[in-house]
Amino acid sequence: MGFKEDQMVTVSLYARVSSGKQAQENTIASQVAALERQISVDGYELLREYKFIDNGYSGSNLVRPNLEKLRDRVAEGKIDKIYIHSPDRLSRKYAYQMILLEEFQKAGAEAVFLNYEINDNPESQLLLQMQGMIAEYERAKIMERSRRGKIYAANKGCVSVMGGAPYGYRYIDKCTGVGQALFEINEEEADVVRKVFLWVGRERASIGEVCRRLNTMSIITRTGKKCWDRSVIWGMLKNPAYKGQAAFGKTKVGVKLQHIRPQRHSCEQPKDNYSIYPVEKANWIYVKVPNIVNEDVFDIVQEQLAENRKIARTRERGAKYLLQGLIVCKCCRYAYYGSPVRNKRGEKVDHYAYYRCIGRDSYRFGGNKICDNKHIRTDALETAVWEEVKHLLKNPNRILEEYKRKLSEFKRSSWDKKSDLLEKQENKLQRGIARLIDSYAQEYISQEEFEPRKTFLPILHQTLITQTG
């Protein structure tokens, strides 16, 4: 029994929301439901692996994990139709929309928007261009209005401009409170904050000592961790909200900084195409909130932190070990760091040390280490690496041979990829010929429609065979 032509079409969907809040609230589910409903109405079947969803990725960024996967599948000729809610879900920039739509069209994939029908006539193209430019304009205006609105609200003393309440406070929204948002002191957490400020301000304790005391007392962080990080304590001690002045505008958005390699447990395509930069204190806007510590105590702590910073500058800095940060554990993918050996009295032994995996440090992971990889003597590993470097410098032809080998692999892989793509397109064309014959046999198309296609498809098939051969 033959199949209808539209039954053999491979369809996919693409959905996106930009903000992290939208991702947490799962607002993308409505997009996916509408797309799946339309696919079902059109009589197609959607496979699970052809759902491409980017949760929390900005439309101004062209590089997104699932959009990249979609583009790869389209280039391989595996997808015939792509269902998208609206053009601005594809991208908020008109230029990016045109790049993607042209890319899909060249690969033989049709983009289907729920709120817009693409045609080849000039009027349809003009409308699509206008929608793309309006979407880009709306994004810029929303960001500017949001920025100006938050500055105005902060100058009026509204707590609602804050992203959330720090440790020691509860954030009460305007619906729950007295008609406006406010910070409410959490006495249990506030008691911990007071202890931290007194330890540093009165006892001159270091941040490391504060972490050890909190861990010994089994005090849990707001996120549920049993182990306190130094950066958390430092941020707490520097936060002016504890003296009754919550600061707004401490950071600003700027150009994305380049990273040598993606961070561990993070994707190669970051969600945000920008970086956060600090703003000078003179430009901060202060909002009055209930204080947990006195202003005098807060100022004493700042003086102590400045003194600790002066002492830290006199210490020896920089990488003490040749391969520090360059070695990666094969088991857990964390980096190795240099660790000196100490004798029974706790004194450092100067003549040797070990490279140690970060994953073996249980204190970094709530008291449980995640890796059992062995330590490596620094002198043994550095000697082995240096001997290999010297051998390489004495034989420069090895560098040339390695370069030629990688170049040949690159050429071979690109040709193989091209050959595979042609083969997939050939298989797709053969399926099209079979569907065409079945459609004519079942009288779904007339003889006038069948004859031109019957003549054209074998010619195209022979051309692909010549290319792949």
Side-chain angles (χ1 to χ4, degrees):
M1 179 180 178
F3 295 92
K4 293 184 180 180
E5 186 174 356
D6 59 0
Q7 288 179 332
M8 305 300 293
V9 174
T10 303
V11 300
S12 68
L13 66 81
Y14 178 77
R16 177 192 65 82
V17 292
S18 56
S19 69
K21 183 178 180 181
Q22 288 176 314
Q24 292 176 0
E25 295 176 353
N26 200 25
T27 58
I28 204 169
S30 60
Q31 284 188 48
V32 176
L35 293 170
E36 290 178 341
R37 185 164 52 251
Q38 185 61 44
I39 291 172
S40 178
V41 169
D42 292 347
Y44 300 127
E45 181 181 356
L46 176 65
L47 301 178
R48 183 181 295 272
E49 59 266 26
Y50 288 138
K51 291 182 181 180
F52 302 96
I53 300 172
D54 280 320
N55 240 339
Y57 281 84
S58 171
S60 63
N61 189 4
L62 188 60
V63 182
R64 300 169 231 146
N66 280 287
L67 180 60
E68 292 290 289
K69 293 178 183 178
L70 172 63
R71 296 171 71 181
D72 290 341
R73 299 298 178 275
V74 170
E76 292 169 1
K78 293 183 177 180
I79 296 175
D80 300 305
K81 283 193 173 185
I82 309 162
Y83 281 78
I84 309 166
H85 191 273
S86 58
D88 63 349
R89 296 301 91 194
L90 194 60
S91 176
R92 280 284 188 178
K93 289 190 175 182
Y94 166 69
Y96 289 167
Q97 290 181 10
M98 293 298 100
I99 290 172
L100 294 171
L101 291 175
E102 184 179 0
E103 183 179 305
F104 296 158
Q105 185 179 10
K106 286 183 178 180
E110 178 187 356
V112 180
F113 297 109
L114 297 192
N115 65 348
Y116 179 78
E117 183 179 357
I118 298 180
N119 297 313
D120 293 332
N121 57 68
E123 292 80 7
S124 177
Q125 296 297 321
L126 177 62
L127 180 58
L128 179 61
Q129 293 175 16
M130 291 176 62
Q131 284 187 341
M133 289 185 288
I134 290 172
E136 188 173 351
Y137 172 77
E138 279 183 346
R139 178 179 179 273
K141 289 297 292 183
I142 288 171
M143 292 179 64
E144 177 60 20
R145 287 171 181 169
S146 176
R147 186 188 69 85
R148 287 191 286 107
K150 287 183 177 180
I151 292 175
Y152 176 79
N155 286 321
K156 296 283 288 183
C158 296
V159 178
S160 57
V161 297
M162 302 297 173
Y167 186 86
Y169 294 98
R170 296 188 192 92
Y171 179 79
I172 308 297
D173 57 38
K174 63 180 181 181
C175 298
T176 307
V178 292
Q180 61 181 0
L182 52 90
F183 282 0
E184 183 181 82
I185 295 178
N186 182 334
E187 287 300 335
E188 184 178 352
E189 294 180 352
D191 184 57
V192 177
V193 174
R194 295 186 187 99
K195 287 180 180 178
V196 170
F197 273 87
L198 289 177
W199 288 340
V200 176
R202 182 180 297 173
E203 302 179 22
R204 309 299 183 189
S206 65
I207 293 180
E209 175 61 21
V210 171
C211 291
R212 285 189 288 271
R213 292 185 184 184
L214 292 175
N215 294 336
T216 303
M217 297 169 65
S218 300
I219 297 176
I220 300 176
T221 67
R222 173 171 286 183
T223 57
K225 290 183 178 180
K226 297 179 180 178
C227 184
W228 288 76
D229 294 330
R230 294 169 182 252
S231 59
V232 175
I233 302 300
W234 184 88
M236 180 187 295
L237 296 171
K238 298 291 291 184
N239 193 341
Y242 295 117
K243 67 175 182 177
Q245 297 178 352
F248 171 78
K250 294 187 290 185
T251 58
K252 64 179 179 180
V253 175
V255 180
K256 182 71 177 179
L257 293 174
Q258 296 296 325
H259 295 283
I260 298 176
R261 56 174 180 252
Q263 295 181 351
R264 188 178 183 273
H265 296 315
S266 66
C267 59
E268 294 185 1
Q269 295 88 15
K271 289 188 175 183
D272 301 321
N273 60 341
Y274 57 84
S275 292
I276 304 297
Y277 296 85
V279 175
E280 296 181 358
K281 286 187 177 181
N283 297 324
W284 291 4
I285 301 174
Y286 293 97
V287 179
K288 187 176 181 180
V289 296
N291 67 301
I292 292 179
V293 299
N294 295 329
E295 188 171 353
D296 295 338
V297 175
F298 186 87
D299 293 339
I300 292 173
V301 169
Q302 305 313 305
E303 294 175 3
Q304 182 62 35
L305 292 177
E307 183 66 23
N308 292 346
R309 193 178 299 112
K310 291 179 182 179
I311 296 173
R313 287 174 181 169
T314 61
R315 298 172 184 168
E316 184 179 355
R317 289 187 173 274
K320 299 180 182 178
Y321 303 95
L322 181 64
L323 304 176
Q324 182 170 324
L326 301 176
I327 315 168
V328 178
C329 177
K330 190 174 182 180
C331 297
C332 66
R333 307 305 299 169
Y334 274 109
Y336 270 65
Y337 67 94
S339 177
V341 176
R342 298 179 183 273
N343 56 26
K344 294 181 179 179
R345 296 187 299 273
E347 300 170 346
K348 294 182 181 180
V349 179
D350 295 331
H351 58 278
Y352 73 96
Y354 282 91
Y355 284 115
R356 177 184 176 93
C357 176
I358 290 177
R360 289 184 61 93
D361 296 338
S362 58
Y363 72 90
R364 298 177 187 268
F365 306 97
N368 298 314
K369 63 180 181 180
I370 63 172
C371 183
D372 292 320
N373 215 348
K374 296 181 179 180
H375 309 326
I376 307 175
R377 280 281 297 266
T378 55
D379 51 356
L381 183 60
E382 290 171 1
T383 301
V385 172
W386 181 240
E387 289 297 326
E388 182 65 22
V389 171
K390 290 195 296 184
H391 183 65
L392 184 64
L393 293 175
K394 292 178 182 178
N395 298 275
N397 288 332
R398 287 182 58 190
I399 301 176
L400 180 61
E401 292 172 1
E402 180 66 14
Y403 172 75
K404 290 180 178 179
R405 185 185 68 82
K406 287 189 174 294
L407 187 62
S408 63
E409 284 184 359
F410 173 76
K411 290 181 178 179
R412 194 184 315 118
S413 62
S414 61
W415 171 252
D416 292 341
K417 186 175 180 181
K418 182 179 180 181
S419 178
D420 292 341
L421 178 59
L422 290 173
E423 184 178 354
K424 291 173 182 176
Q425 290 178 344
E426 180 189 0
N427 294 334
K428 183 177 179 180
L429 185 58
Q430 289 177 342
R431 293 195 302 270
I433 295 174
R435 291 199 301 267
L436 178 64
I437 296 173
D438 289 339
S439 300
Y440 178 68
Q442 297 294 327
E443 298 182 355
Y444 293 127
I445 60 176
S446 64
Q447 185 176 0
E448 289 77 10
E449 295 174 317
F450 175 72
E451 289 295 339
R453 299 183 187 181
K454 184 185 70 172
T455 305
F456 173 72
L457 287 177
I459 297 174
L460 184 58
H461 184 211
Q462 187 60 39
T463 304
L464 282 173
I465 293 175
T466 304
Q467 291 178 347
T468 55

